[in-house]
């Protein structure tokens, strides 16, 4: 029944992603914000719900390694695996606005986490509070800046760009919110069912718990991002596909590692600096790839996937 539940979980992931992309796009229209901002905020935060649950639960249990390791591993997975797979489907066109601020903020967040490790091998309450304030400020600023830009740009080209989404323009706000909430719920439940099934299957095959935790669970908490970005890429919603990953990485550090330490200060002496430096390095590589021709090509996606495969092998050997 668990394995059957895993198959059902995959279906929930697909349809949850469909609903969230459609509902999020419709909300973008009604609020007069761009699909890019919806991808960076609503969609990104929603798909990071599993990471939030896992990290906060680990903080309550005093498992700092799990709480921080979950965030670092998910950020690596988001860039190397998810964007790599998305670019295989179709080369991803990059919105210039991402290069101006959001990617740099993702890099700054990675540096902030690295700084916390240098100071105390974890994240304390004061550092967590600062990270959480950064998350709130970023969200408010993103929505405000997008609404201001929408109000200032009334040209036909701006209107055409704003309506290049899959949701019907006639969709009202209430159905759009219901669609997005339903999608989020399906993503969370689908991810849980799939992780349970994958873990059981790995155990039946004789794989150790350590390997399961480093591979199945790490990827499992990123399944909502994977499903959402893949569906968005297929539907040519490239702003949502890329924005979801960048927004999730920002959310994971600023919000999850902002909230979890407030529950209990996080100590992660077992986290290797290789993991954090790889997360930071991938953020810098992503910036380089995005800036080159404003596109993430299939060749570049192959490099990202190769890095993720090599990292997974390294984790198992470690």
């Amino acid at each position: 029944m668990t394995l059957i539940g895993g198959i059902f979980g995959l279906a929930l992931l697909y349809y949850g992603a469909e609903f969230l992309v459609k509902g999020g796009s419709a909300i973008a229209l009604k609020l007069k914000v761009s699909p890019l901002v919806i991808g960076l905020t609503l969609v990104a935060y929603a798909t990071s719900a599993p990471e939030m649950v896992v990290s906060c639960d680990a903080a309550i249990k005093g498992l700092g390694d799990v709480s921080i390791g979950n965030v670092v591993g998910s950020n690596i997975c988001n860039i190397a695996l998810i964007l790599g797979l998305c670019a295989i489907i179709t080369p991803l066109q990059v919105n210039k606005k991402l290069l101006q601020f959001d990617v740099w903020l993702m890099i700054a967040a990675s540096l902030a986490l690295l700084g916390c490790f240098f100071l105390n091998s974890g994240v304390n309450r004061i550092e967590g509070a600062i990270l959480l304030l950064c998350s709130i400020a970023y969200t408010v600023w993103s929505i405000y800046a997008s609404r201001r830009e929408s109000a200032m740009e009334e040209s036909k080209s701006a209107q055409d760009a704003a309506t290049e989404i899959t949701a019907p323009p006639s969709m009202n706000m209430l159905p759009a919110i219901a669609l997005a909430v339903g999608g989020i719920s399906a993503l969370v439940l689908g991810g849980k069912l799939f992780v349970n099934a994958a873990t059981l299957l790995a155990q039946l095959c004789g794989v150790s718990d350590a390997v399961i935790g480093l591979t199945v669970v790490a990827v499992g908490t990123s399944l909502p991002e994977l499903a959402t970005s893949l569906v968005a890429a297929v539907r040519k919603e490239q702003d949502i596909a890329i924005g979801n990953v960048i927004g999730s990485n920002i959310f994971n550090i600023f919000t999850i590692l902002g909230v979890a330490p407030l529950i209990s200060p996080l100590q992660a002496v077992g986290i290797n600096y290789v993991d954090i430096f790889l997360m930071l390095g991938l953020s810098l590589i992503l910036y380089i790839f995005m800036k080159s021709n404003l596109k993430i090509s299939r060749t570049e996606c192959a490099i990202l996937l190769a890095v993720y495969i090599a990292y997974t092998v390294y984790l198992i050997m470690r």
Side-chain angles (χ1 to χ4, degrees):
M1 290 303 296
T2 302
L3 295 178
I4 292 174
I7 297 174
F8 181 63
L10 284 176
L12 284 177
L13 284 169
Y14 172 77
Y15 287 106
E18 283 274 1
F19 294 160
L20 182 55
V21 171
K22 288 182 179 180
S25 298
I27 291 172
L29 275 182
K30 293 298 181 181
L31 295 180
K32 296 182 178 180
V33 298
S34 68
L36 176 62
V37 171
I38 290 296
L40 287 166
T41 54
L42 171 65
V43 175
Y45 295 178
T47 55
S48 289
E51 286 94 331
M52 173 67 85
V53 172
V54 169
S55 289
C56 288
D57 182 63
I60 293 173
K61 297 175 181 177
L63 303 174
D65 284 343
V66 174
S67 186
I68 296 178
N70 172 47
V71 167
V72 174
S74 292
N75 281 16
I76 292 172
C77 179
N78 285 348
I79 295 175
L81 178 62
I82 294 177
L83 282 185
L85 290 175
C86 288
I88 286 179
I89 295 174
T90 178
L92 299 175
Q93 295 296 324
V94 176
N95 192 314
K96 290 182 180 180
K97 296 174 185 176
L98 285 172
L99 296 172
Q100 296 171 359
F101 180 72
D102 302 284
V103 175
W104 286 111
L105 185 63
M106 178 179 68
I107 294 171
S110 301
L111 286 171
L113 180 55
L114 181 61
C116 292
F117 264 77
F118 274 129
L119 291 174
N120 49 33
S121 298
V123 183
N124 60 34
R125 283 196 171 95
I126 295 177
E127 293 165 344
I130 294 172
L131 292 176
L132 185 58
L133 288 175
C134 289
S135 174
I136 295 171
Y138 169 68
T139 304
V140 172
W141 179 87
S142 295
I143 296 174
Y144 167 75
S146 180
R147 287 177 62 88
R148 183 183 61 180
E149 181 181 349
S150 177
M152 292 174 60
E153 296 181 1
E154 298 293 339
S155 65
K156 185 177 183 300
S157 60
Q159 293 175 0
D160 290 341
T163 55
E164 286 179 0
I165 56 177
T166 56
S170 59
M171 183 180 292
N172 294 324
M173 178 61 82
L174 191 58
I177 293 176
L179 201 61
V181 171
I184 294 168
S185 302
L187 284 171
V188 174
L189 177 59
K192 183 177 180 62
L193 290 173
F194 180 79
V195 169
N196 289 343
T199 302
L200 175 62
L201 184 60
Q203 290 172 341
L204 293 176
C205 294
V207 179
S208 70
D209 289 341
V211 174
I212 292 172
L214 292 169
T215 55
V216 176
V217 176
V219 175
T221 55
S222 292
L223 281 175
E225 287 95 332
L226 176 60
T228 302
S229 288
L230 285 176
V231 169
V234 170
R235 301 179 71 90
K236 307 298 182 184
E237 295 279 6
Q238 298 188 359
D239 279 351
I240 290 181
I242 300 177
N244 173 40
V245 166
I246 294 176
S248 291
N249 281 17
I250 295 171
F251 177 88
N252 286 348
I253 295 177
F254 280 159
T255 308
I256 295 179
L257 292 185
V259 172
L262 297 181
I263 298 173
S264 176
L266 303 177
Q267 289 295 312
V269 293
I271 298 297
N272 196 310
Y273 276 102
V274 171
D275 305 316
I276 300 179
F277 276 114
L278 179 60
M279 177 185 68
L280 175 60
L282 282 171
S283 299
L284 293 170
I285 291 172
L286 179 60
Y287 172 78
I288 294 172
F289 285 173
M290 291 174 65
K291 193 172 183 180
S292 62
N293 300 320
L294 293 178
K295 183 175 68 174
I296 303 176
S297 67
R298 287 190 171 93
T299 301
E300 291 165 341
C301 89
I303 295 174
L304 291 175
L305 288 174
V307 169
Y308 187 76
I309 293 171
Y311 174 65
T312 302
V313 173
Y314 161 76
L315 283 179
I316 295 173
M317 293 178 65
R318 190 175 81 187

